[in-house]
Structures are given as structure tokens and as C-alpha cells.
Amino acid sequence: MKHTIIKDVFFDLDHTLWDFDKNSELTFETIFNRNHPTIETKEFIEKYVPINQACWKLYQYDKISHDELRYNRLKHSFDALNYAISDEEIESIAQEYIQLLPENNHLFDGTFEVLDYLNQKYKLHIITNGFAEVQFKKLNNSNIGSYFQTITNSEMAGVKKPNPIIFEYALDLAKAKKENSIMVGDCIEADVQGALDAGLDAIFFNESNVPIEQNIKQVNHLLELKKYL
């Protein structure tokens, strides 16, 4: 059922519009080919993805710092592979990864089409927990930055999703009302429940088709947003 009162649509960026997993794997492949050719990128990624997710969850709730996130996700992944590497090398990879990541800009299928469609009807915005400098580069390098009237990141707001303060910050920046706003994102906890708790409506981008509660609005492909908006 289409929403008739919505005026502002807020999107998450990573894993929602910007294909983080694909871009991340390509970035690591470039780094390893240059400096650590014995590492099989696919094997590393199998270890890295769940470790990175666990580290991000800790970072999301301020249990580790930005620097600890960048170090721990690599250190724990290399340990899981039994690959000997120094702290200096890990720091070098962490810096190179952040520099190179926005150079790979694969988007989810349907991104441009759905943004073109929504842009004619709504004001579009971004709310992201990602690092400000990197997120701006991703938006600009992938040619989707011009679709969004405001971009809120956790560094600006001082807190991360699902903290309601970041949603309030984004609403104020967008001059939007929560009753006329909706959030689209891939994380049930940070994007969907965070938005709902802050008083916005929400749609779960369930690209992996994970089981969820029936009462949660969801799409498996971005173009399915046309059912709601």
C-alpha cells in the first residue's frame, strides 16, 4: 500500500544503495595483490565479513573506538587465517583500505532507477554510521550524491544509529517532520527499529531475504520500493 503522507525519504548508504561487500572485496584484492600476494582474497573475506560485522556492532554502541574498529577487524581476520603480520602492516592496510574503498563504486541493482523515480516525488536524504570523509567520496564517486538534499553521518550527530538523536538530527537538518518521513535500510536494529523508535516509519531492505517479523515492511529489491512510495 502506498504512503500518501510521506514527503521525505531517508536512506542508509552501505549495504542499501552502495554495495559494500562487493566494493570491499575488490579493495582487499587490490591491496593483497600489491603487498600480500599469498593471501587468497576469497578466503580472507570469509573470515573478515562476520568479524567486521561484530566489530561494527561494538562501534555502533560505543564499545570500541574508530581506531579500534579499523585495527581489530583486520587483526582478528588475519589471526583467523593464521597469517603472521605486524601491527605496522595492519595499520598500513587499514589506511590503504580507507583510501581505496571509495574508488570501487558498485551499486545495488535498480539504484539509479529508483532514485530517479523517488526524486520526482520526495525529498531524499542519507543517514549513515559510516566515516564522514569516506561516505562523501562514495556518494560522489558513484554519481548518486546529487540525489540527496541532506547527508547526516554519525560524526556530525555525535551518535550512531539506532540512537534516536541521530534521527532527530537528520530530521532537523532536512527540515522534515517525523510523521511525514520514512527510513530505508538494511539493518533491522540500526535502521528499521532505530527509525521506528524515533517516530519515523521504516522499510527493511532485505536483499538477503532473511526471515523477519510479518509486521515489518520489507523489499528484496530496490525497485520494490515503488509498492510503498
Side-chain angles (χ1 to χ4, degrees):
M1 186 177 71
K2 286 186 183 287
H3 291 260
T4 56
I5 63 168
I6 297 299
K7 296 180 180 178
D8 293 83
V9 181
F10 293 83
F11 277 94
D12 178 44
L13 181 59
D14 294 332
H15 304 283
T16 301
L17 299 172
W18 200 83
D19 192 340
F20 183 91
D21 289 341
K22 182 180 285 187
N23 294 321
S24 180
E25 183 171 343
L26 288 168
T27 303
F28 279 121
E29 190 168 32
T30 299
I31 293 170
F32 295 154
N33 285 343
R34 287 179 185 173
N35 301 312
H36 300 273
T38 61
I39 296 176
E40 290 288 340
T41 305
K42 294 282 187 189
E43 188 178 350
F44 174 84
I45 291 296
E46 286 178 9
K47 305 292 186 184
Y48 175 81
V49 168
I51 289 170
N52 184 44
Q53 289 173 345
C55 288
W56 266 100
K57 181 159 276 192
L58 292 173
Y59 177 68
Q60 184 175 296
Y61 288 100
D62 297 317
K63 294 181 178 178
I64 59 173
S65 69
H66 177 176
D67 289 340
E68 286 171 323
L69 165 66
R70 290 177 56 186
Y71 174 81
N72 289 351
R73 64 186 180 182
L74 291 173
K75 171 64 173 168
H76 296 164
S77 298
F78 288 125
D79 286 350
L81 284 177
N82 294 314
Y83 185 81
I85 188 168
S86 68
D87 283 351
E88 291 77 13
E89 288 174 305
I90 289 175
E91 179 58 30
S92 176
I93 291 171
Q95 290 181 4
E96 193 172 11
Y97 177 81
I98 292 299
Q99 290 169 357
L100 291 178
L101 185 61
E103 302 305 315
N104 296 300
N105 283 287
H106 291 276
L107 301 170
F108 281 103
D109 187 42
T111 294
F112 284 110
E113 185 177 341
V114 81
L115 291 178
D116 282 334
Y117 167 81
L118 293 173
N119 201 34
Q120 297 174 42
K121 305 170 68 178
Y122 307 98
K123 295 177 183 176
L124 306 183
H125 314 274
I126 291 285
I127 308 179
T128 173
N129 281 352
F131 309 137
E133 183 181 353
V134 181
Q135 300 304 75
F136 280 113
K137 285 181 180 177
K138 289 175 185 175
L139 285 163
N140 292 329
N141 291 352
S142 61
N143 296 314
I144 60 173
S146 60
Y147 286 99
F148 302 101
Q149 300 205 5
T150 66
I151 298 163
T152 296
N153 63 65
S154 53
E155 291 175 43
M156 295 161 59
V159 295
K160 307 169 193 76
K161 296 177 290 184
N163 191 313
I165 292 173
I166 193 171
F167 294 98
E168 295 287 352
Y169 184 101
L171 289 165
D172 287 344
L173 187 64
K175 296 180 171 58
K177 295 180 179 179
K178 58 182 64 176
E179 61 267 25
N180 301 127
S181 301
I182 195 164
M183 178 76 197
V184 181
D186 72 290
C187 181
I188 283 285
E189 194 174 4
D191 298 314
V192 177
Q193 196 59 52
L196 293 172
D197 289 346
L200 292 77
D201 203 350
I203 299 173
F204 178 42
F205 177 52
N206 191 4
E207 196 257 345
S208 300
N209 205 22
V210 298
I212 61 167
E213 294 177 20
Q214 290 290 321
N215 62 325
I216 294 175
K217 299 182 185 72
Q218 68 166 315
V219 295
N220 305 119
H221 189 284
L222 288 174
L223 292 181
E224 293 175 19
L225 287 172
K226 293 181 180 183
K227 293 189 303 185
Y228 296 106
L229 298 166

